[in-house]
Amino acid sequence: MAKPRSEEKRSAIVAAAVRVIASQGLGAPTATIAAEAGVANGSLFTYFETKADLFNALYLELKAEMASASLKGLPAKADFRKQMFHVWSNSMDWAVSSPEKRRALAQLTVSDEITPASRAAGHKTMAGVAALLQRARANGPMRNAPMAFVVTIMNAVGDATMDFMIQDPANAKKHSKAGFDALWRALA
Amino acid sequence: MAKPRSEEKRSAIVAAAVRVIASQGLGAPTATIAAEAGVANGSLFTYFETKADLFNALYLELKAEMASASLKGLPAKADFRKQMFHVWSNSMDWAVSSPEKRRALAQLTVSDEITPASRAAGHKTMAGVAALLQRARANGPMRNAPMAFVVTIMNAVGDATMDFMIQDPANAKKHSKAGFDALWRALA
Amino acid sequence: MAKPRSEEKRSAIVAAAVRVIASQGLGAPTATIAAEAGVANGSLFTYFETKADLFNALYLELKAEMASASLKGLPAKADFRKQMFHVWSNSMDWAVSSPEKRRALAQLTVSDEITPASRAAGHKTMAGVAALLQRARANGPMRNAPMAFVVTIMNAVGDATMDFMIQDPANAKKHSKAGFDALWRALA
Amino acid sequence: MAKPRSEEKRSAIVAAAVRVIASQGLGAPTATIAAEAGVANGSLFTYFETKADLFNALYLELKAEMASASLKGLPAKADFRKQMFHVWSNSMDWAVSSPEKRRALAQLTVSDEITPASRAAGHKTMAGVAALLQRARANGPMRNAPMAFVVTIMNAVGDATMDFMIQDPANAKKHSKAGFDALWRALA
DNA sequence: CATGAATGAGCGTTCATTCAT
DNA sequence: GATGAATGAACGCTCATTCAT
């Protein structure tokens, strides 16, 4: 991860990758991403050694962005349920307002180009959310389940919820709440 | 009068595809699948016009197999919860005992080579399960949610559960039950 | 050239080849020709050992048919010019009324699948016409040119004439006469 | 700033295509053409998007070269016959001295990969010759024939003449004159 | 002999990556 | 560093021909 000259160009590539992956999938040519970024195809490889490197970096960036969006404005004093709902709403809002990022992240998440290391790092960025979740379920029926299981379920319910919010934006808020309630029933 | 198209060869190809997709993903060369099936690469195209056709056929076959496995031995007289749990357990068992099929199906499900028609047909094979689910949530908190939302959540919780059962086979049964209980709490 | 059982099937293949070549060119799959003939693809090869063999046989057949059509009803007693014009008209009529055969023949003529032997044999079938041509030019300006040269020119002018007759059928007769007159001026 | 697209390499490919097509026909693999040009197979597609594109470009180049060769040194003040003969001789000389180009052009001319647009453009390059031909026949017996018909006949007689010049180079000049005389008789 | 499945070499094209400018 | 041409392995699919039935 050498520090290349132009941070600007690097982010142009990353942003282009989001758009291109969202619309064409992970099979999209690097040349297309470079073009979308307004950069020569060869230049992409000065910023990311391989296509897989770009994907891993993008994965991490999106994870981090999502995590940070989720925690924004967290009411520190509120009870767990309120805090959790705040985080949940933030996540849903981020997904709905950045559908391309969400789609790209979804694709990356199931790709086998993403290394275990990246996945681990990705989970770390979500540590704040996980901690909340940890406490939320502390006295509930899933108190003894592996944490990873709980996280997976939350993600899964979250994904389903996002899909419905995007498909039916008029009722986005309702879907968001319904999803959260279902999750809360499952774990708390 | 001529060498008939051999059902045996067809299934060899399908079975090979399962193995190859499980280990190499959907990007695996058709030639690899053919070789794994012990067939000339050209022969694959006698049975499936296109790589995508093979994928769609495989998707449907796996969906059907999973559905049929899920419903096997359904206790017709039991209450919904028991019936649902039966189906759930069957699904989990199928996934755990056919991990390659499960991985292949997971990949196919997110692929954009699978046509809407195939997806629709795939959902039809799960109609029996869906009907059960329908009645199970009839009086619960999700009684007014779109059915598709409920299905998605069930699948998501199921997927998460399977992963944990496979990762930690010693406690497979426990995970299966925990997953089901979480689902039941969410919807009934 | 073993004698296969069904002469009928053989000609079905040949006839199919004419149609298919006319519409798809020489690159058309043998399977397409077989299908058009209502025969299994493998059967084609009991009648013609290779695709090239089929082409050569077809070439000869079309050449022969054209030659025979050209000489039909030749007025034995008339002068050369009249005889030549008769032959010329017959050729043009054949081409115009069998456009597929003509197109197929044109393609075969320039193909390098046609062996020199076939070409020689093809020319032989045109011997009657050539003899006429021979005498026609006997006292004209091309009396010393190689016969093959004269034949080539005749074919060339003939081809051009056919094209115009087909393109503009209303004036077919006029074009036919104009072509013949041009040829006659050139050689007699 | 980057390695510029090398005109040299482009012409190497075009020249290689001439040779390969002359000896193996239009069915020759692009890989063979690339190899003959001393280029990686992929590079061919940097210069020509498609095999058909290469063919069309080559067709145009050969047409243009032939046209330009035909008109070289045209005696502006001479009468039509002399001018026509000059053009005719130039054409024949070009064909005889570039037999591969001539063969390649002949194959391309009958190929259905050549688009109508290319054909139209090809004819434009021959406009100078056509104009001459137009005036040459103005008072002759073909004065009312469609121009396209006249052109076709000229090409046909020309092709036949070339063949004989190449087959019998000792008498090339004689054949050239004989061909021209035949043409002139036909049209003027 | 008829059939059509089986075979596998072969082809046009793509694309991640390298490298000359 | 930036550029984009160069590279060549790889892929999906075709099709003439063979051969089991």
Side-chain angles (χ1 to χ4, degrees), chain B residues 122-161:
Chain B
H123 292 152
K124 246 188 199 155
T125 71
M126 298 290 279
V129 176
L132 222 48
L133 188 60
Q134 178 71 288
R135 282 177 296 162
R137 62 127 182 190
N139 299 310
M142 301 198 78
R143 85 187 75 98
N144 293 319
M147 188 58 193
F149 186 54
V150 180
V151 169
T152 305
I153 284 182
M154 177 185 69
N155 287 336
V157 178
D159 279 344
T161 306

Side-chain angles (χ1 to χ4, degrees), chain C residues 141-142 146 148-149 152-153 156-157 160-161 164 179 182 185-187, chain D residues 141-142 146 148-149 152-153 156-157 160-161 164 175 179 182 185-186:
Chain C
M142 300 198 77
F149 186 55
T152 306
I153 285 183
V157 178
T161 306
F164 278 83
R185 259 175 268 128
L187 61 78
Chain D
M142 299 197 79
F149 186 53
T152 305
I153 284 182
V157 178
T161 306
F164 278 84
H175 291 310
R185 259 176 266 128

Side-chain angles (χ1 to χ4, degrees), chain B residues 63-116:
Chain B
K63 270 286 202 199
E65 186 179 321
M66 191 185 172
S68 131
S70 299
L71 293 170
K72 187 178 297 172
L74 184 67
K77 303 274 164 91
D79 63 50
F80 298 148
R81 190 180 209 280
K82 275 211 173 98
Q83 287 194 338
M84 270 300 292
F85 185 64
H86 184 90
V87 165
W88 176 271
S89 296
N90 276 346
S91 298
M92 296 301 122
D93 291 349
W94 179 81
V96 168
S97 64
S98 313
E100 290 183 322
K101 288 179 178 171
R102 198 233 156 190
R103 290 183 58 181
L105 183 53
Q107 310 228 40
L108 290 165
T109 299
V110 303
S111 161
D112 40 36
E113 304 274 30
I114 302 303
T115 64

Side-chain angles (χ1 to χ4, degrees), chain B residues 56-67:
Chain B
N56 278 278
L58 180 52
Y59 170 80
L60 288 174
E61 235 157 273
L62 292 176
K63 270 286 202 199
E65 186 179 321
M66 191 185 172

Side-chain angles (χ1 to χ4, degrees), chain A residues 5-6 9 35 40 72 108 121 126 150 163 173 182:
Chain A
R5 265 315 135 74
S6 153
K9 212 158 276 191
K72 185 178 298 172
L108 290 165
M126 298 288 279
V150 180
D163 282 338
K173 211 145 204 166

